[in-house]
């Protein structure tokens, strides 16, 4: 069989793979992308785009009800059918034609099928009809296959046919009741969503909600879910599961039972590396890929692992950030240009370590970047923690009649810079990038005094934080 040769082979055509391919192509390399499902990947069709499309009507309705004058005009609940139709529009009815057109327009080839490493710089692609195509890379192979839902080893759970996040975002008929295992981002967002769609929701989260951020964030989301009618159970776990004619039956560690029409598993992610031929290059199938800051797999100089597969920061925007660095450094190494791999250099993903931003689209929204108080102390930093009640701001009072929220900033006292920030409240997601810039840019507190927040906005919280820090 004759092999097709390219400078770079990218396995996986999600946002990460697309960006690696595009940056390498702009760097002068020939590139082919291998995709077994839809070009655009998890984010475009089963995760970020559909989930936020489904969450938005509920958020808009809550916002209208929170403002006198608008509240009086609200006469109904979320229209489920219209919400699902809007989701379908935003995912293009799961048709990737426009994404394929973009790929071809960028000068990137596409091979559909399941790609496996079959040798050094070699990928064999099996099409749906069994036909095989052999691809060889002159310089590099980038694995950008993402992650999949992790189904825990609970007796009876697999037999109970649980939903994963794909089922939850691709729903056609909203169940009367839904049990959710896990209190992370997916579990919390889907609890918010299905409560707004009228389902009876039970969340089972042994360690509470949103463990990765400041504790007050998860507590606020749990209270809002409870106030909206959801049942949030913490401190317990599922010991066994089953399905009968009425739905799913979950037996909990405290002896109680939860019954629901469906059960959603949102207990973590696993890398999609179990069937990629990693054994052919001395790596363990099913493992996360261990990479350096240029995203090159340690021990295999021509192999790169970008996005979720490296387990650095399982977020689409962070994966695309890694992809830009990886695509650029692959092109630089291939053409023997200078590599800028020092901290914050052009060819590294330094932000993965301590400047990762994230917005959780729950009620209330949660937005965070950088360190929490706990992680900063664990890193050995001498910090000041400043909290502020967002309801005290004039901008918050204008935004909603009974605005509730809280913001925390973490200041490195030795360097006098912001190293972390967390916002909890309605629409705080749009406030996050200012904090991200302050963290990444290591802007001195003394200089931030001259970044004047407009009045009346919720961003005036920055002035209150600075007042607490004190003038230079």
């Amino acid at each position: 069989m004759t092999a097709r040769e390219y400078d770079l082979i990218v396995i996986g055509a999600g946002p990460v793979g697309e960006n690696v391919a595009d940056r390498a192509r702009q760097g002068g390399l020939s590139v082919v992308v291998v995709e077994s499902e839809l070009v655009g990947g998890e984010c475009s069709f089963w995760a970020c785009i559909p989930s936020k499309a489904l969450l938005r009507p509920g958020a808009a309705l809550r916002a209208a009800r929170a403002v006198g004058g608008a509240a009086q005009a609200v006469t109904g609940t979320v229209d489920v059918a219209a919400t699902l139709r809007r989701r379908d529009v935003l995912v293009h009815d799961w048709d990737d034609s426009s994404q394929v057109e973009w790929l071809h327009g960028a000068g990137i080839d596409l091979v559909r099928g399941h790609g496996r490493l079959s040798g050094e710089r070699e990928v064999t692609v099996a099409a749906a009809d069994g036909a095989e195509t052999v691809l060889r890379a002159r310089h590099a192979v980038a694995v950008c296959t993402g992650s999949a839902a992790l189904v825990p080893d609970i007796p009876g759970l697999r037999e109970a046919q649980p939903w994963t996040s794909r089922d939850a975002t691709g729903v056609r008929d909203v169940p009367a009741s839904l049990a959710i295992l896990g209190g992370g981002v997916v579990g919390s967002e889907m609890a918010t969503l299905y409560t707004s769609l009228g389902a009876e929701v039970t969340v089972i989260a042994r360690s509470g909600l949103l463990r990765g951020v400041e504790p007050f964030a998860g507590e606020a989301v749990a209270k809002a879910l409870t106030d909206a009618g959801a049942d949030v159970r913490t401190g317990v776990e599922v010991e066994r599961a089953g399905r009968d004619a009425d739905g799913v039956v979950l037996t909990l560690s405290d002896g109680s039972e939860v019954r629901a029409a469906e059960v959603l598993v949102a207990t973590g992610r696993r890398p999609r590396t179990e069937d990629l031929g990693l054994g052919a290059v001395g790596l363990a199938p099913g493992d996360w890929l261990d990479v350096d800051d240029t995203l090159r797999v340690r021990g295999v100089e021509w192999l790169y692992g970008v996005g979720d597969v490296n387990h650095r920061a399982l977020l689409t925007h962070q994966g695309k950030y890694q992809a830009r660095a990886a695509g650029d450094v692959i092109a630089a190494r291939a053409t023997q240009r200078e590599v800028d791999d020092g901290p914050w250099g052009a060819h590294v993903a330094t932000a993965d370590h301590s400047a990762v931003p994230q917005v959780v689209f729950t009620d209330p929204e949660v937005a965070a970047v950088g360190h929490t108080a706990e992680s900063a102390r664990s890193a050995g930093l001498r910090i000041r923690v400043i909290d502020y009640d967002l309801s005290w701001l004039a901008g918050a009072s204008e935004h909603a009649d009974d605005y509730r929220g809280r913001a925390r900033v973490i200041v490195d006292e030795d360097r006098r810079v912001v190293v972390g920030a967390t916002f909890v409240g309605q629409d705080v997601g749009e406030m996050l990038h200012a904090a991200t810039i302050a963290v990444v840019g290591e802007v001195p507190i003394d200089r931030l005094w001259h970044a004047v927040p407009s009045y009346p906005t919720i961003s005036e919280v920055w002035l209150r934080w600075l007042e607490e820090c004190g003038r230079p």
Side-chain angles (χ1 to χ4, degrees):
M1 183 181 297
T2 303
R4 293 162 54 179
E5 285 197 349
Y6 294 86
D7 293 324
L8 169 65
I9 302 168
V10 178
I11 307 176
V16 174
E18 289 176 326
N19 274 271
V20 172
D22 188 40
R23 299 295 286 218
R25 185 72 187 93
Q26 291 183 44
L29 305 190
S30 60
V31 184
V32 62
V33 171
V34 178
E35 177 53 55
S36 61
E37 294 185 293
L38 296 177
V39 175
E42 193 81 10
C43 175
S44 297
F45 297 103
W46 298 287
C48 317
I49 298 302
S51 66
K52 277 52 184 180
L54 291 167
L55 282 158
R56 180 59 188 157
L61 190 60
R62 288 190 297 272
R65 286 175 170 160
V67 179
Q72 288 74 15
V74 178
T75 58
T77 58
V78 170
D79 186 312
V80 174
T83 297
L84 299 182
R85 283 197 301 272
R86 184 171 184 266
R87 182 269 321 272
D88 292 348
V89 169
L90 289 174
V91 299
H92 303 285
D93 290 309
W94 290 273
D95 182 337
D96 66 357
S97 300
S98 62
Q99 302 265 26
V100 173
E101 183 179 350
W102 173 86
L103 210 62
H104 290 157
I108 301 164
D109 286 354
L110 171 65
V111 175
R112 289 193 184 269
H114 186 84
R116 296 178 182 86
L117 295 167
S118 49
E120 184 171 337
R121 296 185 178 87
E122 182 181 273
V123 175
T124 298
V125 184
D129 62 3
E132 290 191 343
T133 301
V134 177
L135 305 172
R136 291 205 176 99
R138 299 182 190 94
H139 298 290
V141 175
V143 175
C144 309
T145 49
S147 64
L150 175 66
V151 179
D153 190 19
I154 295 172
L157 182 59
R158 292 182 186 277
E159 292 76 13
Q161 300 175 309
W163 280 8
T164 67
S165 54
R166 284 194 174 196
D167 299 295
T169 60
V171 67
R172 291 296 182 187
D173 297 298
V174 175
S177 55
L178 178 67
I180 300 174
L181 308 189
V185 173
V186 172
S188 297
E189 286 189 346
M190 291 301 98
T192 301
L193 167 62
Y194 277 88
T195 299
S196 76
L197 295 180
E200 183 180 314
V201 172
T202 303
V203 181
I204 302 162
R206 180 180 57 187
S207 302
L209 304 188
L210 302 177
R211 284 189 302 162
V213 294
E214 297 285 7
F216 64 83
E219 292 166 4
V221 173
K223 183 180 186 307
L225 283 170
T226 301
D227 290 347
D231 181 4
V232 179
R233 303 195 187 189
T234 60
V236 294
E237 56 189 335
V238 178
E239 293 193 335
R240 62 181 180 275
R243 184 179 282 274
D244 58 24
D246 297 321
V248 177
V249 183
L250 305 174
T251 302
L252 306 188
S253 56
D254 62 0
S256 65
E257 282 189 350
V258 171
R259 288 183 169 269
E262 301 291 348
V263 57
L264 166 63
V265 173
T267 52
R269 307 288 292 179
R270 59 177 176 81
R272 286 190 174 130
T273 61
E274 68 278 358
D275 191 20
L276 285 180
L278 293 182
V281 295
L283 300 174
D287 279 2
W288 302 99
L289 297 180
D290 181 27
V291 301
D292 62 22
D293 273 5
T294 67
L295 294 313
R296 184 160 59 181
V297 176
R298 290 188 170 93
V300 188
E301 65 174 11
W302 51 268
L303 187 63
Y304 292 74
V306 193
D308 280 13
V309 291
N310 60 40
H311 207 232
R312 287 165 66 102
L314 278 66
L315 297 161
T316 295
H317 51 271
Q318 212 68 19
K320 290 166 69 174
Y321 159 72
Q322 293 176 13
R324 293 189 289 271
D328 287 351
V329 79
I330 290 169
R333 285 170 173 155
T335 56
Q336 297 184 326
R337 296 196 299 268
E338 183 180 354
V339 172
D340 182 8
D341 59 0
W344 305 108
H347 297 134
V348 292
T350 306
D352 286 349
H353 301 300
S354 59
V356 175
Q358 180 175 19
V359 177
V360 187
F361 292 85
T362 45
D363 173 29
E365 277 187 2
V366 176
V369 63
H371 281 294
T372 62
E374 180 181 358
S375 70
R377 292 188 180 106
S378 296
L381 301 180
R382 189 173 67 90
I383 61 171
R384 177 182 296 194
V385 178
I386 303 172
D387 289 333
Y388 196 81
D389 187 331
L390 294 177
S391 70
W392 296 343
L393 299 167
S397 299
E398 297 281 1
H399 203 74
D401 292 345
D402 187 24
Y403 194 100
R404 296 183 183 182
R406 181 175 172 184
R408 168 174 289 181
V409 68
I410 311 298
V411 177
D412 181 334
E413 289 281 70
D414 294 325
R415 292 185 296 144
R416 291 277 289 175
V417 297
V418 174
V419 294
T422 300
F423 305 87
V424 177
Q426 182 185 332
D427 299 329
V428 294
E430 296 300 334
M431 296 175 60
L432 183 62
H433 197 55
T436 303
I437 291 170
V439 171
V440 172
E442 299 179 333
V443 182
I445 293 293
D446 298 347
R447 177 59 63 90
L448 283 175
W449 272 98
H450 301 280
V452 182
S454 299
Y455 181 88
T457 66
I458 303 174
S459 290
E460 201 178 11
V461 68
W462 282 91
L463 179 57
R464 304 305 169 216
W465 280 341
L466 291 166
E467 288 171 342
E468 183 71 18
C469 285
R471 289 301 298 258

